[in-house]
């Protein structure tokens, strides 16, 4: 009974932290929704800007996916189990919190106001530069500004959170297998699903005198796949000088979204020690991750009207016109993490376990979890 009460208290505290983490994710996605304005610059320039703006999100999330697999070096015994909820928090390096827009090779964009430094998604919560979208006016033959937008702020905190649910069971030959699974979950306007598989295998059994060693040696592999999507909202610009041929079909813009798929793979060599109450471990390993971002739906952009006629009062001959841009974003990111070192612990209070770890890499990750465990 005491263990159950302890678990409920710990679970309550953890869920509170998890909700704060999810609130952070929601804040980040609100920033991404603001980033939808970038699409007004056209396919090539929008991809270039979003590549820089979202890079720390891709790298940090990839690092998160590769964390939290381990809470001890020793595999669980046959039919031993562990059911754990954890949260990884990747730390975005200082150099990935902002970028210089003047160093990018745009086709139609120019900075027209404000500093050259723009924040990435997990940079400071300060306004970025104002960007002008330019084109050649067919009437004057001159390069002129069509519209402008302001680069979105960062979230204000350099941390990328990712909650996980994981189950582990011991099988034969000092081996355990882990499963991460989450059916599609909707939070606010975010839809997320996750799947992962991991395996850990003890090495002491294969070493001469391995059973007499004072520490446990093992190897671990893990793979995680996550898919998510959330809505964009980019509406056509309005003005006396803009003709919108889609004004009678506003539902055309209803399916705007950003879809992402992230994968992570990690391999680790571990050494650790199980004591009566606490287990400690350390290790070295490698990790890879990737993320793809796509934007289904149609998006309105404003361009100069080839049929512009200043002496004609009809809508069709206004100076500017709304054009339709279909599925403009198609980005791929490879994670910046490779070789890493880690250390962690697991505290056992009867069936209740509290675990924590820290992974040192290009994007360091702190991970904390709580669960039920039986060896």
């Amino acid at each position: 009974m005491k263990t159950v009460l302890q678990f409920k208290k710990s679970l309550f505290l953890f869920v509170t932290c998890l909700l704060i983490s999810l609130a952070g994710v929601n804040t980040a996605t609100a920033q991404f929704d603001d980033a939808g304005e970038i699409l007004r610059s056209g396919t090539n320039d929008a991809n270039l800007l979003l590549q820089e703006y979202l890079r720390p999100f891709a790298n940090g999330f990839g690092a998160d996916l590769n964390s939290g697999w381990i809470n001890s070096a020793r595999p669980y015994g046959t039919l031993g189990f562990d059911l754990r909820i954890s949260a990884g928090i990747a730390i975005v390096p200082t150099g990935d919190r902002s970028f210089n827009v003047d160093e990018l090779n745009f086709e139609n964009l120019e900075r027209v106001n404000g500093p050259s430094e723009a924040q990435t998604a997990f940079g400071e919560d300060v306004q970025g530069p104002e960007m002008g979208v330019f084109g050649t006016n067919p009437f004057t033959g001159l390069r002129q500004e069509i519209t402008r937008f302001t680069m979105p702020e960062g979230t204000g905190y350099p941390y990328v959170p990712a909650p996980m649910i994981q189950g582990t069971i011991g099988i034969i030959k000092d081996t355990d297998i882990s499963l991460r699974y989450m059916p599609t979950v909707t939070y606010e306007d975010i839809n997320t699903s996750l799947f992962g598989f991991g395996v850990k295998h003890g090495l002491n059994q294969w070493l001469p005198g391995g059973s007499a060693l004072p520490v446990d040696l093992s190897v671990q592999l893990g793979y995680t796949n996550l898919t998510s999507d959330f809505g964009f909202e980019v509406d056509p610009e309005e003005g006396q000088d803009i003709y919108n041929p889609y004004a009678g079909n506003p539902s055309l813009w209803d399916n705007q979204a950003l879809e992402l798929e992230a994968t992570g793979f990690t391999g680790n060599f571990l050494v650790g020690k199980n004591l009566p109450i606490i287990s400690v471990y350390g290790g070295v390993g490698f990790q890879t991750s990737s993320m793809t971002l796509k934007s289904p739906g149609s998006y309105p952009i404003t361009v100069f009207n080839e049929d512009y006629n200043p002496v004609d009062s009809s809508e069709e001959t206004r100076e500017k016109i709304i054009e339709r841009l279909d599925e403009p974003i198609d980005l791929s990111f490879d994670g910046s993490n490779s070789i890493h070192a880690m250390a962690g612990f697991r505290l056992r209070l009867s069936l209740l376990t509290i675990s924590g770890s820290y992974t040192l890499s290009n994007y360091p990750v702190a991970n904390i979890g709580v669960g039920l465990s039986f060896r």
Side-chain angles (χ1 to χ4, degrees):
M1 183 67 179
K2 184 177 179 181
T3 300
V4 173
L5 290 174
Q6 288 174 328
F7 179 72
K8 286 182 177 179
K9 290 179 181 178
S10 298
L11 188 60
F12 174 78
L13 290 174
F14 184 78
V15 169
T16 301
C17 295
L18 191 60
L19 289 175
I20 293 173
S21 172
L22 286 173
V25 173
N26 190 51
T27 301
T29 54
Q31 300 303 119
F32 300 162
D33 188 46
D34 292 340
E37 293 296 305
I38 293 174
L39 296 177
R40 299 192 189 279
S41 60
T43 299
N44 293 335
D45 287 349
N47 275 272
L48 191 59
L49 267 182
L50 286 174
Q51 181 96 19
E52 297 300 319
Y53 182 74
L54 297 178
R55 189 183 304 279
F57 176 70
N59 289 338
F61 216 75
D64 283 335
L65 293 182
N66 285 322
S67 74
W69 283 108
I70 304 157
N71 61 13
S72 76
R74 181 186 299 176
Y76 282 84
T78 303
L79 299 184
F81 70 88
D82 176 70
L83 180 61
R84 184 166 77 254
I85 305 172
S86 66
I89 301 177
I91 304 169
V92 179
T94 302
D96 284 1
R97 298 175 192 175
S98 64
F99 64 98
N100 191 326
V101 295
D102 290 348
E103 295 176 354
L104 302 180
N105 187 23
F106 296 120
E107 291 182 356
N108 304 312
L109 280 178
E110 292 181 18
R111 178 170 61 92
V112 294
N113 196 15
S116 61
E117 183 181 55
Q119 301 301 309
T120 64
F122 289 89
E124 295 182 21
D125 185 12
V126 296
Q127 194 173 66
E130 196 169 11
M131 306 298 293
V133 182
F134 288 77
T136 301
N137 188 323
F139 185 76
T140 64
L142 301 175
R143 180 177 170 83
Q144 295 176 245
E145 183 179 331
I146 302 171
T147 187
R148 61 176 60 185
F149 62 88
T150 301
M151 284 296 296
E153 303 90 342
T155 58
Y157 54 89
Y159 309 106
V160 186
M164 297 281 177
I165 300 174
Q166 177 177 312
T168 300
I169 187 168
I171 55 175
I172 60 173
K173 289 290 185 181
D174 204 19
T175 301
D176 63 36
I177 55 175
S178 298
L179 181 68
R180 292 174 168 178
Y181 175 71
M182 183 174 67
T184 300
V185 173
T186 300
Y187 177 79
E188 299 291 342
D189 61 345
I190 311 165
N191 302 302
T192 304
S193 61
L194 179 144
F195 172 81
F197 179 81
V199 59
K200 183 167 58 181
H201 182 69
L203 299 178
N204 293 59
Q205 61 188 310
W206 306 112
L207 301 174
S211 60
L213 290 176
V215 294
D216 300 304
L217 303 175
S218 62
V219 292
Q220 184 271 337
L221 299 173
Y223 168 82
T224 308
N225 176 268
L226 177 141
T227 59
S228 183
D229 66 80
F230 49 88
F232 266 158
E233 188 175 348
V234 183
D235 295 321
E237 290 187 295
E238 298 179 353
Q240 292 299 318
D241 61 342
I242 300 175
Y243 168 51
N244 181 5
Y246 307 102
N249 185 22
S251 63
L252 177 65
W253 321 114
D254 286 351
N255 296 319
Q256 298 174 356
L258 187 67
E259 295 181 346
L260 71 86
E261 180 175 9
T263 61
F265 178 78
T266 184
N268 298 285
F269 173 75
L270 307 168
V271 56
K273 180 70 175 180
N274 279 10
L275 300 172
I277 296 178
I278 192 170
S279 299
V280 293
Y281 68 90
V284 294
F286 69 93
Q287 57 180 301
T288 63
S289 64
S290 64
M291 178 180 287
T292 60
L293 291 170
K294 297 182 183 297
S295 57
S298 299
Y299 301 82
I301 63 170
T302 307
V303 300
F304 282 121
N305 188 355
E306 295 287 343
D307 297 323
Y308 173 52
N309 187 342
V311 298
D312 190 333
S313 61
S314 62
E315 286 189 355
E316 293 83 354
T317 59
R318 291 177 178 176
E319 183 180 24
K320 302 172 186 177
I321 187 172
I322 298 297
E323 285 191 352
R324 168 181 174 177
L325 204 61
D326 294 325
E327 303 179 0
I329 301 302
D330 187 359
L331 294 173
S332 296
F333 300 85
D334 290 324
S336 65
N337 293 277
S338 52
I339 304 300
H340 63 248
M342 67 171 66
F345 73 91
R346 181 190 63 203
L347 183 64
R348 295 189 63 186
L349 304 172
S350 188
L351 292 178
L352 174 69
T353 62
I354 299 172
S355 59
S357 66
Y358 184 81
T359 303
L360 181 62
S361 59
N362 292 338
Y363 273 63
V365 180
N367 193 288
I368 186 168
V370 63
L372 294 173
S373 179
F374 178 73
R375 297 205 64 87

